[in-house]
Amino acid sequence: MSPTPEALAAARSALAQQTIELPSWAFGNSGTRFKVFGQAGVPRDPFEKLADAAQVHRYTGVAPRVSLHIPWDLVDDYDALARHAKDLGVQIGAINSNLFQDDDYMLGSLTHPDARVRAKAVQHHVQCVDVMRATGSTDLKLWLPDGLNYPGQDSIRARQDRLAESLQEIYAALDPEHRLILEYKFFEPAFYSTDIPDWGTSLLHCLALGERAMVVLDTGHHAPGTNIEFIVAQLLRHGRLGAFDFNSRFYADDDLMVGAADPFQLFRIMHEIVQSGALAPDSGVNFMLDQCHNIEPKIPGQIRSVMNVQEATAKALLVDTAALTAAQQSGDVLGANGVLMDAYNTDVRPLLADLRVEQGLDADPMGAFARSGYTETIVAERVGGTQAGWGA
Ligand code: PSV
Ligand code: MN
């Protein structure tokens, strides 16, 4: 069944308000533990990363914020960086801390048995809060690489106690308008036991911290077969879904373009979002991308990803909720599933093209960016210097 004109109009107005946050690191070089491939024209510093991110916003109209990663995005003057962002028509989003690239953290950071190392890791977050103040960011995002490779290596329970204490110190350093958003990941770099392996552990720590602590759901951080939309529904029910790190995975934390590996999963997630009213700009859910473009060009990779989120959202908005509820209430299993699949199988590209034209954008963001000549310009201009990447 095709959607009614009213349904299309309602979807269009909801889509017009959607925003997606881009990761600064998506524009730098990245790779696997086997090889990082350099690409011509890659940014040399955070200012150039913002310039590239602004291109994604320019052609999609829905990506006005950029997450930073500290220390990858260390600069001397964050006021200047924030002004630069503003001039480009974007703003600084979440500030990501980094607890995974310092020798001191080999046996852990916020959970480390040595109080000196824990204090250093907490202090890093105090530095990140300063960056938030200078840039106007309101989200401090933590992902903890801490964990154990071998049974008996450390006390699982003591590590949770140390983690709770360290998190409390970080939370106390926040300003009232700041949130702490806490990511989880079931494995890697630790292989036996990870200190925040799942949404339940993250949620327990958030509940202990206070109302401004929220869970971050990275779509790449679950075991195969995990029902991610269930987690979304559950966290929304408790008002604790702070943000997504969107990406796609086939096997592990693959960081592929969101909606590439499993567009149906993305639709199911967005369905839970829409049904809970969490798409509204004031819902408190930050829709961020956390991706790396190892073999594909980076700016088009981000544009494609943003469009994939928009398409999944549009389909979720076209679910005939009245028909779905009626089918669910009457126990019509096939009918209910049919309503959902009708929406999923709708070609929403014309709807999104219309919306872009209405907003003064090109109907085809990928084509418009390709024709703009921006890639050729940065390849010609960004010569010399050190290209940004994971370690830079
Ligand atoms: C960890 O795998 C993670 O998802 C965290 O969000 C990090 O900050 C990010 O990746 C770095 O790419
Ligand atoms: Mn992530």
Side-chain angles (χ1 to χ4, degrees):
M1 267 186 40
S2 347
T4 62
E6 293 75 30
L8 287 170
R12 197 139 93 180
S13 74
L15 287 164
Q17 298 189 50
Q18 184 176 34
T19 61
I20 297 156
E21 186 165 316
L22 309 180
S24 69
W25 53 100
F27 302 96
N29 284 329
S30 58
T32 64
R33 64 199 169 90
F34 298 101
K35 169 76 179 159
V36 172
F37 295 102
Q39 291 189 18
V42 155
R44 279 87 46 93
D45 58 40
F47 290 85
E48 291 182 348
K49 289 185 199 172
L50 287 178
D52 289 2
Q55 290 293 308
V56 179
H57 184 45
R58 178 167 181 187
Y59 292 99
T60 62
V62 294
R65 295 183 309 280
V66 188
S67 314
L68 300 186
H69 213 296
I70 309 295
W72 297 342
D73 295 318
L74 266 188
V75 294
D76 291 335
D77 184 348
Y78 279 100
D79 292 314
L81 191 68
R83 278 197 305 278
H84 177 67
K86 198 168 172 222
D87 291 344
L88 292 163
V90 294
Q91 68 186 70
I92 307 297
I95 302 298
N96 290 247
S97 61
N98 186 316
L99 298 171
F100 49 94
Q101 288 183 316
D102 190 302
D103 283 342
D104 270 343
Y105 300 150
M106 189 174 79
L107 300 180
S109 59
L110 298 175
T111 64
H112 199 286
D114 183 344
R116 181 193 67 81
V117 178
R118 295 201 299 279
K120 172 175 169 169
V122 169
Q123 191 50 39
H124 169 54
H125 292 87
V126 173
Q127 177 200 17
C128 289
V129 173
D130 283 339
V131 174
M132 293 168 75
R133 291 188 183 118
T135 56
S137 163
T138 54
D139 282 351
L140 175 63
K141 181 165 149 241
L142 274 86
W143 168 66
L144 200 71
D146 298 23
L148 306 174
N149 271 7
Y150 295 100
Q153 182 188 323
D154 193 8
S155 154
I156 290 175
R157 177 159 178 171
R159 290 174 79 84
Q160 287 301 309
D161 294 342
R162 294 178 211 135
L163 174 59
E165 249 177 53
S166 303
L167 286 173
Q168 259 168 30
E169 289 177 39
I170 296 168
Y171 193 73
L174 297 176
D175 292 341
E177 68 275 20
H178 292 166
R179 305 193 303 175
L180 185 155
I181 55 176
L182 189 60
E183 198 170 341
Y184 59 90
K185 180 173 176 177
F186 78 121
F187 88 114
E188 197 196 41
F191 294 128
Y192 156 61
S193 170
T194 296
D195 290 319
I196 310 185
D198 51 35
W199 66 273
T201 305
S202 174
L203 179 62
L204 283 176
H205 283 288
C206 288
L207 290 172
L209 288 173
E211 281 182 1
R212 290 177 292 114
M214 304 273 201
V215 179
V216 179
L217 187 158
D218 184 314
T219 44
H221 290 187
H222 307 86
T226 301
N227 181 337
I228 297 178
E229 58 271 27
F230 174 85
I231 302 171
V232 171
Q234 187 72 304
L235 289 173
L236 286 172
R237 209 175 140 250
H238 293 277
R240 293 284 178 158
L241 179 61
F244 282 100
D245 265 2
F246 276 134
N247 49 45
S248 268
R249 71 187 286 279
F250 284 106
Y251 300 107
D253 188 18
D254 300 339
D255 280 338
L256 298 175
M257 294 187 298
V258 58
D262 188 351
F264 185 46
Q265 178 186 67
L266 183 59
F267 162 76
R268 299 192 310 263
I269 290 171
M270 293 315 297
H271 173 59
E272 292 304 326
I273 289 287
V274 168
Q275 294 303 309
S276 302
L279 195 61
D282 62 354
S283 73
V285 181
N286 190 357
F287 298 88
M288 308 187 293
L289 304 182
D290 177 10
Q291 301 180 179
C292 292
H293 304 291
N294 301 346
I295 58 168
E296 67 275 30
K298 295 162 198 302
I299 300 172
Q302 288 285 284
I303 294 176
R304 175 87 269 158
S305 304
V306 165
M307 293 172 71
N308 286 351
V309 175
Q310 285 186 295
E311 286 172 21
T313 308
K315 290 176 185 219
L317 285 162
L318 291 180
V319 170
D320 183 341
T321 307
L324 182 65
T325 310
Q328 289 172 345
Q329 303 265 313
S330 64
D332 181 1
V333 175
L334 291 180
N337 180 242
V339 171
L340 213 64
M341 295 313 292
D342 267 347
Y344 177 66
N345 288 317
T346 307
D347 183 359
V348 292
R349 290 172 298 182
L351 166 69
L352 286 161
D354 283 356
L355 174 67
R356 290 185 190 113
V357 171
E358 194 178 281
Q359 294 174 329
L361 300 169
D362 196 295
D364 167 20
M366 293 290 283
F369 173 73
R371 287 187 297 274
S372 73
Y374 185 85
T375 303
E376 292 73 11
T377 306
I378 55 174
V379 167
E381 284 178 358
R382 292 179 183 166
V383 178
T386 308
Q387 293 191 321
W390 286 339

